[in-house]
Amino acid sequence: GAGVSQSPSNKVTEKGKDVELRCDPISGHTALYWYRQSLGQGLEFLIYFQGNSAPDKSGLPSDRFSAERTGGSVSTLTIQRTQQEDSAVYLCASSLAGDTGELFFGEGSRLTVL
Amino acid sequence: AQSVTQPDIHITVSEGASLELRCNYSYGATPYLFWYVQSPGQGLQLLLKYFSGDTLVQGIKGFEAEFKRSQSSFNLRKPSVHWSDAAEYFCAVVQEGRRALTFGSGTRLQVQP
């Protein structure tokens, strides 16, 4: 597809389980971002990948959160031992290198932790 | 730390009325500023951005925003609102030394017929 694709669109899990969220960016976009949007809140930055550079992990809220990007394309956000406060919409975005700020967002993965 | 404030959580306007959504930032240098819109069931879409130059920037869907350094503001405006403008609007700023945008908490716009 032409846009950023995220899966699953909805995920319900039990507290303590691990979850993986997938993001497939726009072809040719070298920058990839993960954000979290909680109910009534703005977007919270989680992690940023740019090409082969070391990712900016400064927004990850705890060591239960990790992300990887394989082959400079698809990214997976993993949340271990999920907690109820992890319930949110996880948004992925991509952009062209050098095109500061024009992010193209996916529709998000809604995570509900029971 | 850099921050973005959107003081209005929820705004309701009548269709055809003018609109102004407020955004204030805290930043040590001239920032890169953005407005995004999130329509129900859709991903965020860039409305407009300001990097430098003319402080009045035009965007898509008839929106414009004005950068005012003296007020640390970047308010979004539209002269005549359409029902399809009902959405949530986010102001954002690029953090110094990073590429990741810092977003405000958003303003939800409701349009009355």
Side-chain angles (χ1 to χ4, degrees), chain A residues 31 33 35 37 40-43 45 48 50 56 58 91 95-96 98-103 105-107, chain B residues 32 34 36 38 41-46 49 51 88 90 94-95 98-106:
Chain A
Y33 309 75
Y35 284 84
Q37 185 176 23
Q41 303 294 316
L43 278 73
F45 166 71
Y48 158 63
Q50 172 59 62
D56 177 354
S58 60
L91 294 168
S95 70
L96 290 167
D99 190 14
T100 303
E102 186 148 11
L103 274 58
F105 282 85
E107 294 189 15
Chain B
Y32 294 167
F34 310 84
Y36 280 81
Q38 186 177 35
Q42 297 184 22
L44 281 88
Q45 181 183 22
L46 179 68
K49 59 186 177 183
F51 285 179
E88 188 145 23
F90 292 93
V94 172
Q95 295 185 26
R98 296 185 183 173
R99 287 279 308 281
L101 297 186
T102 298
F103 285 84
S105 56

Side-chain angles (χ1 to χ4, degrees), chain A residues 26-57:
Chain A
I26 293 172
S27 178
H29 283 193
T30 59
L32 186 147
Y33 309 75
W34 283 99
Y35 284 84
R36 177 169 69 174
Q37 185 176 23
S38 303
L39 188 62
Q41 303 294 316
L43 278 73
E44 175 188 9
F45 166 71
L46 296 178
I47 189 168
Y48 158 63
F49 296 90
Q50 172 59 62
N52 295 322
S53 302
D56 177 354
K57 304 179 181 180

Side-chain angles (χ1 to χ4, degrees), chain B residues 12-79:
Chain B
T12 300
V13 299
S14 298
E15 190 169 16
S18 63
L19 172 69
E20 182 167 25
L21 302 182
R22 295 184 291 165
C23 173
N24 294 96
Y25 64 89
S26 167
Y27 201 80
T30 301
Y32 294 167
L33 293 157
F34 310 84
W35 277 99
Y36 280 81
V37 60
Q38 186 177 35
S39 299
Q42 297 184 22
L44 281 88
Q45 181 183 22
L46 179 68
L47 282 176
L48 48 79
K49 59 186 177 183
Y50 171 78
F51 285 179
S52 65
D54 192 347
T55 57
L56 183 64
V57 293
Q58 302 296 321
I60 62 172
K61 305 185 180 186
F63 285 92
E64 65 178 27
E66 185 171 12
F67 170 60
K68 293 186 177 180
R69 185 191 304 276
S70 61
Q71 299 178 18
S72 297
S73 69
F74 188 58
N75 294 349
L76 182 71
R77 303 194 294 247
K78 187 170 185 178

Side-chain angles (χ1 to χ4, degrees), chain A residues 1-103:
Chain A
V4 176
S5 178
Q6 292 188 245
S7 61
S9 55
N10 279 286
K11 176 70 175 179
V12 180
T13 190
E14 294 179 347
K15 177 181 174 181
K17 300 286 188 182
D18 296 352
V19 297
E20 286 189 349
L21 307 176
R22 175 190 168 101
C23 173
D24 199 343
I26 293 172
S27 178
H29 283 193
T30 59
L32 186 147
Y33 309 75
W34 283 99
Y35 284 84
R36 177 169 69 174
Q37 185 176 23
S38 303
L39 188 62
Q41 303 294 316
L43 278 73
E44 175 188 9
F45 166 71
L46 296 178
I47 189 168
Y48 158 63
F49 296 90
Q50 172 59 62
N52 295 322
S53 302
D56 177 354
K57 304 179 181 180
S58 60
L60 295 177
S62 77
D63 59 7
R64 296 186 297 103
F65 288 74
S66 63
E68 63 178 19
R69 189 178 184 192
T70 54
S73 181
V74 172
S75 176
T76 302
L77 177 69
T78 301
I79 309 173
Q80 296 179 309
R81 305 181 303 281
T82 52
Q83 304 294 312
Q84 289 184 333
E85 60 263 29
D86 299 334
S87 296
V89 177
Y90 289 82
L91 294 168
C92 177
S94 68
S95 70
L96 290 167
D99 190 14
T100 303
E102 186 148 11
L103 274 58

